[in-house]
Amino acid sequence: MNSELVVGLVSISDRASGGVYRDEGIPSLKEWLGKVIRSPAWRDETRLIPDEQAVIEATLKELVDANGCQLVLTTGGTGPAARDVTPEATLAVADKLMPGFGEQMRQISLRFVPTAILSRQVAVIRKSCLIINLPGQPKSIRETLQGLPDVPGIFAAVPYCIDLIGGPYIETDETLVKAFRPKSALRPKP
């Protein structure tokens, strides 16, 4: 088992990948993960790609199959517009569905905007990797990952999920996100 965590960060946007505007998804994810993950050592593989289902599928396969990512976070392309195909691409490369992640992200986002019900984020397992479609806006990304005072964010479940699929043991900054594990899965702190 690899002790280094490899995280794929994929921003899916026709306009950002075309240079029309600067991508904010990947920098936001890097900053947030840098604050939250305490161990193990981790590195990222980043991709900025257009809303093209074949490109998204190929990118997810490459990150998991060739680059060894144990976690892939995508941002963008989850709405109802014709060009929003991130969920379809993610489902096409999936071995298992993880519906609770999408349900929780929508629950958090509904606290802020009624249009959160239009979001189609999904999460799946491919081989030994958890792939999660996140919202597109940096504020929404942070809220869904970290949670709110009265609603847990989705990242609290990510470390244990990674344990269960054979990835490295992830420890978090508990002042930001307390990773949930059953007592039988806890390891002594170094």
Side-chain angles (χ1 to χ4, degrees), residues 86-99:
T86 302
E88 287 78 10
T90 303
L91 293 169
V93 304
D95 295 326
K96 293 180 180 178
L97 302 181
M98 302 297 292

Side-chain angles (χ1 to χ4, degrees), residues 18-39:
V20 175
Y21 62 77
R22 188 176 72 85
D23 172 60
E24 295 182 4
I26 290 172
S28 176
L29 284 167
K30 280 186 179 188
E31 178 186 0
W32 190 85
L33 291 168
K35 291 177 184 174
V36 172
I37 297 174
R38 289 289 155 247
S39 70

Side-chain angles (χ1 to χ4, degrees), residues 1-9 29 32-34 36-45 63 67-73 128-131 155 158-163 165-172 181:
M1 175 172 58
N2 186 354
S3 63
E4 179 183 53
L5 176 65
V6 184
V7 182
L9 303 175
L29 284 167
W32 190 85
L33 291 168
V36 172
I37 297 174
R38 289 289 155 247
S39 70
W42 70 281
R43 67 180 171 85
D44 59 70
E45 291 280 338
L63 288 170
N67 295 90
C69 291
Q70 299 104 345
L71 175 63
V72 173
L73 303 174
S128 294
C129 179
L130 174 61
I131 302 171
F155 204 81
V158 168
Y160 186 51
C161 184
I162 300 292
D163 293 350
I165 60 176
Y169 191 85
I170 301 169
E171 293 193 46
T172 60
R181 288 182 172 94

Side-chain angles (χ1 to χ4, degrees), residues 5 14 23 28 40 49 60 85-87 89 92 100 105 116 120 126-127 153 170 175 185 187:
L5 176 65
D14 288 332
D23 172 60
S28 176
I49 60 174
L60 295 176
V85 294
T86 302
M105 284 188 276
R120 301 179 311 115
R126 177 180 175 85
K127 299 183 179 181
I170 301 169
T175 64
R187 294 185 189 170

Side-chain angles (χ1 to χ4, degrees), residues 32-167:
W32 190 85
L33 291 168
K35 291 177 184 174
V36 172
I37 297 174
R38 289 289 155 247
S39 70
W42 70 281
R43 67 180 171 85
D44 59 70
E45 291 280 338
T46 63
R47 304 289 186 275
L48 176 57
I49 60 174
D51 280 301
E52 295 287 345
Q53 185 167 342
V55 174
I56 300 167
E57 287 180 31
T59 300
L60 295 176
K61 288 177 182 176
E62 174 207 359
L63 288 170
V64 176
D65 303 353
N67 295 90
C69 291
Q70 299 104 345
L71 175 63
V72 173
L73 303 174
T74 72
T75 178
T78 61
R83 297 281 303 157
D84 292 334
V85 294
T86 302
E88 287 78 10
T90 303
L91 293 169
V93 304
D95 295 326
K96 293 180 180 178
L97 302 181
M98 302 297 292
F101 286 98
E103 293 165 7
Q104 187 67 4
M105 284 188 276
R106 284 182 285 280
Q107 180 182 355
I108 292 167
S109 295
L110 277 168
R111 302 284 179 112
F112 299 98
V113 292
T115 54
I117 61 173
L118 303 177
S119 175
R120 301 179 311 115
Q121 290 114 333
V122 298
V124 303
I125 303 290
R126 177 180 175 85
K127 299 183 179 181
S128 294
C129 179
L130 174 61
I131 302 171
I132 304 173
N133 301 154
L134 296 169
Q137 297 301 314
K139 179 180 181 287
S140 299
I141 292 169
R142 186 175 53 258
E143 289 164 353
T144 56
L145 287 169
Q146 194 165 321
L148 305 170
D150 58 337
V151 182
I154 63 164
F155 204 81
V158 168
Y160 186 51
C161 184
I162 300 292
D163 293 350
L164 293 171
I165 60 176

